[in-house]
Amino acid sequence: MSNHPRIHPLHDPEASPARPTAPLVPRDASRSEHGDPSKDPLTQRPHRLAPPKRRGRSCCCRCVCYTLCFLLLFVVAIGATIGILYLVFKPKLPDYSIDRLQLTRFTPNQDLSLSTAFNVTITAKNPNEKIGIYYEDGSKITVWYLQTKLSEGSLPKFYQGHENTTVIYVQMTGETQDASGLRTSLEEQQQRTGNIPLRIRVNQPVRVKFGKLKLKEVRFLVRCDVFVDSLAADNVIKIQSSSCKFRLRL
């Protein structure tokens, strides 16, 4: 056994009791001698910037929506107006017929051309009770055999009232160049079928009047297919059959 004496610390009864020392780092703190890692710029995550708002696209979309809405309202308004006019006036298409056709000249010339002249009688009917028709200047009426124009003229300017029937007399003249083959074709057609097909076309500018409202100018396009017995000069041509079709062009 060791003979060294043991030394024990002595307690000083007059000494004041020891105070607890404050910790170097507060509780729930993450500080160290290297500083606060949460404030280290190398350890902080970069904040994402919000993309800028695209105002141009939103304005463009808004303009397109406004335009489409305006067009839709415009179409609805036009449709409603047309519907009201139709219910009030109950429009009906005019009717046309070829009543008489006379060939007053059918003369071959020395240069192989052919001079022709027709008198045609047309009956125009307006069956509408509240609609009038103004037949304006600038009309054109033509007589055709197949693809060859024989004569042309124009209708007079007049006003056709409600439920009115008007008889129109029109004179037409024309000259066909290099008509030697045309005369041969007419003769063969008559001998083969006993008739000659003619086509009469009318292009007529008109203005329609609804009550007191006079609309803008439109065009009546009339095509009549006429079968006659012959084409003899200074003779009233017998019309074997005829039919007319009407079309409106704005």
Side-chain angles (χ1 to χ4, degrees), residues 142-160:
T142 54
V143 178
W144 296 74
Y145 169 71
L146 301 180
Q147 302 299 323
T148 303
K149 184 172 66 173
L150 301 177
S151 295
E152 66 178 23
S154 61
L155 275 68
K157 180 181 179 180
F158 67 98
Y159 171 73
Q160 188 175 31

Side-chain angles (χ1 to χ4, degrees), residues 22-35:
L24 295 177
V25 180
R27 293 181 179 180
D28 300 330
S30 60
R31 293 180 183 178
S32 65
E33 66 272 10
H34 298 291

